Amino acid sequence: MTVTQSGPVALVGSGEFTPAMLDVDCALFDGVPRRVAHLATAAAPEGTARLDYWADLARRHYATLDAEVDSVPVVDRASADDRALAKRVAAAGLIYLSGGNPGYLADTLRGTACWDAVLSAHAIGMSVAGCSAGASALTALAPDSRTFEMRPGLGLDPGLAVISHYDRMLHWWPDAEARHRAALPPGATLVGIDEDTALVGGRGRYRVRGTGTVSVLANGGARTFAPEEWISFAEA
């Protein structure tokens, strides 16, 4: 299916289901049903307790926005290809991929019924958001956080690759930027998104939201964009 990016995309450095992202989440409901399909797939290798943690956090967070949350139990390739679960994803106004392992998330969803449901919903104007692992997996590259192998992302926006938690990531993974640059597909732009910060937009044009900054890591240097600034990646 061709990705049209009709709906908005939010790429979040960290802070899913916290007060830091309330304004962003509220904006993502503009013109769409206040129903969230939450996929905690990236955290599935951490066990059911962690999945339950994310589901409860999402439920309590979206209750403040008078929104219904369906934490769809997509945990592996079999469940990702389950048509009944895909229908639950397709029924949402906002589809949210939360944190964990980006590589696992991308490999689990790629080419499945649930990923097709995300694309179909997005093409008719529904919102799609990814935080941390979710933000990486929605773009061109999805590193495996266990092995640090660079994996292909899902390519909802194939023109970007994201380093989430950018203001802290280089302390955890010192060569993260170099590894991403080495694997960057032709024509893609590498961006670092700070914690509690998001890029919201699509079609190569995004607005910085939240409390931190976004760094466009291109041409051997970096350009930093503050909250409320717009970035056109054809020009950045």
Side-chain angles (χ1 to χ4, degrees), residues 9-17 25 28 36-43 54 58 62 70-72 74 80 89 94-102 104-110 112 114-115 117-119 127-139 142 153-156 164:
V9 176
L11 304 172
V12 186
S14 81
E16 67 269 66
F17 317 144
D25 292 336
L28 292 172
V36 183
H38 165 224
L39 277 67
T41 312
W54 285 118
Y62 283 109
D70 180 8
S71 288
V72 186
V74 177
V89 173
L94 168 60
I95 301 165
Y96 207 115
L97 311 181
S98 56
N101 185 330
Y104 181 83
L105 173 58
D107 287 349
T108 299
L109 291 184
R110 187 181 296 107
T112 66
C114 281
W115 181 242
V118 175
L119 297 182
S127 300
V128 179
C131 185
S132 187
S136 295
L138 287 175
T139 61
L154 294 164
L156 188 66
S164 59

Side-chain angles (χ1 to χ4, degrees), residues 10-59:
L11 304 172
V12 186
S14 81
E16 67 269 66
F17 317 144
T18 69
M21 287 294 112
L22 272 174
D23 288 347
V24 169
D25 292 336
C26 187
L28 292 172
F29 285 124
D30 188 20
V32 304
R34 300 180 82 82
R35 295 193 301 270
V36 183
H38 165 224
L39 277 67
T41 312
E46 302 172 41
T48 56
R50 194 62 176 168
L51 293 173
D52 291 343
Y53 164 82
W54 285 118
D56 182 62
L57 196 65
R59 178 187 55 77

Side-chain angles (χ1 to χ4, degrees), residues 193-212:
I193 305 176
D194 286 354
E195 296 193 334
D196 294 335
T197 306
L199 280 176
V200 183
R203 298 181 181 273
R205 181 168 166 77
Y206 289 83
R207 188 180 186 183
V208 181
R209 303 293 304 273
T211 61

